[in-house]
Amino acid sequence: MAIGIFDSGVGGLTVYKTISEHFPKADIHYLGDTARVPYGSRSQETVIKYSLQCAQFLVENFDIDTIIVACNTASSYAIDHIREKFGVNVIGVVEPGAKSAFMLSANRKIGIIGTRATIRSQSYVKALQALSPGISIQQTACPLFVPIVEEMLIETEIAENVVKHYLDELINKGVDTLILGCTHYPLLKGVISKIYPHVSIVDSSEAIIACIEELSVDTLQNGIREIYLTDESPAFETLKNVLAGGLASKKVTL
Ligand code: DGL
């Protein structure tokens, strides 16, 4: 049995990388819906429709027993629909990320950043409130972070200025823990930590490892790695050496 990971595009390769490194023998099939990225500016209905198609592709084509929804936007809207439709384990990034933040925060003031759709869905807010109803939460969408990562402007003054633009106000409200609620944001972890060294940063891809272990997913296979994209992607070409060990992608149609 294999693990299927899907994302709206190539940002989910941050999750792919973490899981690949942690479980070197697992068979992993990654699907990036690069023909229809971004999901973060789309409606709930569209995100659900696209996410179900991605899950369907993985289940139909591979011997999948676990689907990992790397995309925060898809996790925010479609996780229950995927669970209902396919009889496999389904792991999203929202609950594990919220749980990690809750455990890390000393002052119970947690910040959430993500796409507009993720923030609008309140998914992280609900997950945190389920853990502790009185928790203090600040959240903001950071739509410029995705293009900054995809253009590899990570270690630049532009990135620093944009990080400050979105985060100064939120961090000044006393947040001690920040959830990176979008696939691309882990690549900005270094810049964020440099500007706000006192803030703990939660990368949901790391939180997923514990879920895989808890579900006793079979991770002792042949170490197969495959990356499928629904369209050509300049961002993939830029990021593949950093996140996918230089692996080539195969084109598929959903
Ligand atoms: N993968 C998306 C997420 O994590 C970011 C890119 C997009 O908007 O599709 O929310």
Side-chain angles (χ1 to χ4, degrees):
M1 302 295 265
I3 295 176
I5 305 177
F6 82 85
D7 178 43
S8 56
V10 297
L13 289 170
T14 52
V15 175
Y16 166 91
K17 182 172 191 267
T18 306
I19 295 174
S20 280
E21 286 174 357
H22 204 89
F23 302 108
K25 292 208 160 142
D27 286 353
I28 304 177
H29 304 276
Y30 177 95
L31 172 66
D33 192 6
T34 45
R36 303 188 292 195
V37 69
Y39 286 9
S41 51
R42 298 193 192 277
S43 67
Q44 171 170 2
E45 197 190 352
T46 303
V47 173
I48 293 171
K49 185 171 103 186
Y50 290 176
S51 302
L52 286 173
Q53 289 170 348
C54 289
Q56 178 104 29
F57 169 84
L58 292 169
V59 171
E60 262 174 21
N61 289 288
F62 311 106
D63 197 13
I64 297 290
D65 68 349
T66 304
I67 294 178
I68 293 172
V69 184
C71 179
N72 286 255
T73 308
S75 294
S76 296
Y77 288 108
I79 198 100
D80 292 338
H81 295 80
I82 300 170
R83 282 203 180 111
E84 211 170 282
K85 188 158 177 195
F86 304 99
V88 296
N89 299 318
V90 182
I91 302 173
V93 277
V94 174
E95 267 87 19
K99 207 165 146 193
S100 288
F102 179 70
M103 316 262 274
L104 265 179
S105 174
N107 70 1
R108 296 285 186 256
K109 289 188 180 170
I110 295 179
I112 304 158
I113 53 175
T115 62
R116 287 202 169 96
T118 295
I119 298 304
R120 192 182 59 223
S121 75
Q122 303 272 10
S123 58
Y124 277 101
V125 174
K126 288 179 204 153
L128 285 167
Q129 283 173 345
L131 294 167
S132 169
I135 202 156
S136 158
I137 301 166
Q138 306 292 330
Q139 57 168 1
T140 190
C142 305
L144 287 175
F145 282 7
V146 167
I148 283 179
V149 168
E150 294 199 353
E151 294 300 325
M152 273 305 223
L153 295 170
I154 294 166
E155 308 272 328
T156 64
E157 213 182 314
I158 299 173
E160 286 188 18
N161 287 336
V162 175
V163 165
K164 285 187 202 147
H165 166 75
Y166 286 126
L167 297 189
D168 267 358
E169 199 183 324
L170 183 141
I171 303 290
N172 285 340
K173 288 187 177 144
V175 158
D176 77 346
T177 304
L178 181 69
I179 300 177
L180 305 182
C182 174
T183 45
H184 291 63
Y185 300 0
L187 289 166
L188 290 169
K189 215 175 346 185
V191 187
I192 298 173
S193 301
K194 187 172 140 197
I195 303 173
Y196 312 106
H198 58 291
V199 173
S200 307
I201 295 181
V202 174
D203 172 349
S204 300
S205 70
E206 287 161 8
I208 279 183
I209 299 294
C211 291
I212 296 175
E213 281 163 352
E214 268 165 38
L215 285 171
S216 307
V217 174
D218 181 6
T219 51
L220 295 174
Q221 301 284 325
N222 302 304
I224 292 169
R225 299 286 186 270
E226 285 184 320
I227 295 181
Y228 295 91
L229 301 179
T230 53
D231 201 356
E232 283 168 18
S233 165
F236 179 71
E237 296 312 314
T238 314
L239 294 174
K240 74 176 177 190
N241 290 332
V242 184
L243 296 177
L247 208 67
S249 62
K250 298 175 190 168
K251 175 136 186 267
V252 290
T253 306
L254 297 187

